Amino acid sequence: MARLLVCYGSTEGQTATVAERISDVLAERGHEVALANLKHPPDGLPPSDYDGVIVAASIHAGSHQPYVAAFVRDHLEELARLPSAFVSVSLSAAHADEADRAPAGEMLEAFLDETGWEPDETLTVAGALRYSQYGLLKRFAMKRIAGRASGDTDTSRDYEYTDWDAVEAFAAGFASLVDREA
């Protein structure tokens, strides 16, 4: 059994939900998992206390949460010594057309370039439109963005685009990587 850290940054909650599902899969595979929100991390959260680390962040206004990037930069040497993975959550990843999904991968690569991190595995995963949680201005802006992308614009409901099978397969793959490294 390995000790694994799953840490995340989440603006509207979908990345937190993704991180929780990853944690559940890792625990089901017999690992001890710590889940941490990097916006308010617990004291003493060094990755070196773990046998592997998954970091998840969401994209808003063209970039991932700055506090997640700061965590990665602050712990770059530790992350390089451990099995590690990065999960990037965005609406761009929800597009059916591969060309329209490309920006999600480009933003993931920009995050890695910015931080200097080279994780063992990466995943881009589609997020959610939470119209019910947005204020009037944000709801209007998100509806316009979704409309330009031929997306869902009915603001009377929320839309979840996350491919949970892909998230679970990614977590299982990471668990196997950690098992091989142990």
Side-chain angles (χ1 to χ4, degrees):
M1 172 176 70
R3 292 187 70 228
L4 304 177
L5 173 62
V6 178
C7 51
Y8 65 91
S10 190
T11 301
E12 296 170 358
Q14 191 66 13
T15 305
T17 303
V18 168
E20 289 168 6
R21 181 73 61 95
I22 289 170
S23 296
D24 290 346
V25 170
L26 296 172
E28 289 167 5
R29 294 186 57 110
H31 297 290
E32 180 183 332
V33 184
L35 181 65
N37 182 343
L38 292 176
K39 188 168 187 175
H40 306 289
D43 289 334
L45 188 67
S48 59
D49 287 352
Y50 299 91
D51 301 308
V53 179
I54 296 176
V55 177
S58 57
I59 297 170
H60 290 273
S63 65
H64 294 86
Q65 288 88 356
Y67 59 88
V68 175
F71 174 84
V72 169
R73 281 191 301 274
D74 290 348
H75 299 285
L76 197 54
E77 288 182 25
E78 294 165 284
L79 292 171
R81 287 193 299 270
L82 297 167
S84 65
F86 180 58
V87 178
S88 177
V89 180
S90 73
L91 286 175
S92 298
H95 291 284
D97 182 64
E98 188 175 331
D100 291 335
R101 284 192 313 270
E106 292 165 5
M107 287 182 268
L108 181 148
E109 289 301 323
F111 177 87
L112 298 179
D113 289 345
E114 170 196 339
T115 60
W117 184 27
E118 296 180 19
D120 296 295
E121 298 182 5
T122 62
L123 174 69
T124 56
V125 64
L129 272 174
R130 303 271 188 227
Y131 286 122
S132 67
Q133 296 177 15
Y134 303 153
L136 185 62
L137 184 60
K138 186 169 186 175
R139 188 177 316 122
F140 176 77
M142 294 305 292
K143 180 179 177 177
R144 285 192 55 158
I145 292 167
R148 283 195 305 262
S150 300
D152 296 304
T153 58
D154 177 359
T155 61
S156 68
R157 59 176 295 237
D158 294 339
Y159 300 89
E160 184 175 87
Y161 306 108
T162 305
D163 180 345
W164 293 111
D165 291 337
V167 170
E168 291 173 1
F170 178 81
F174 186 77
S176 294
L177 170 68
V178 170
D179 292 342
R180 285 191 306 272
E181 298 275 330

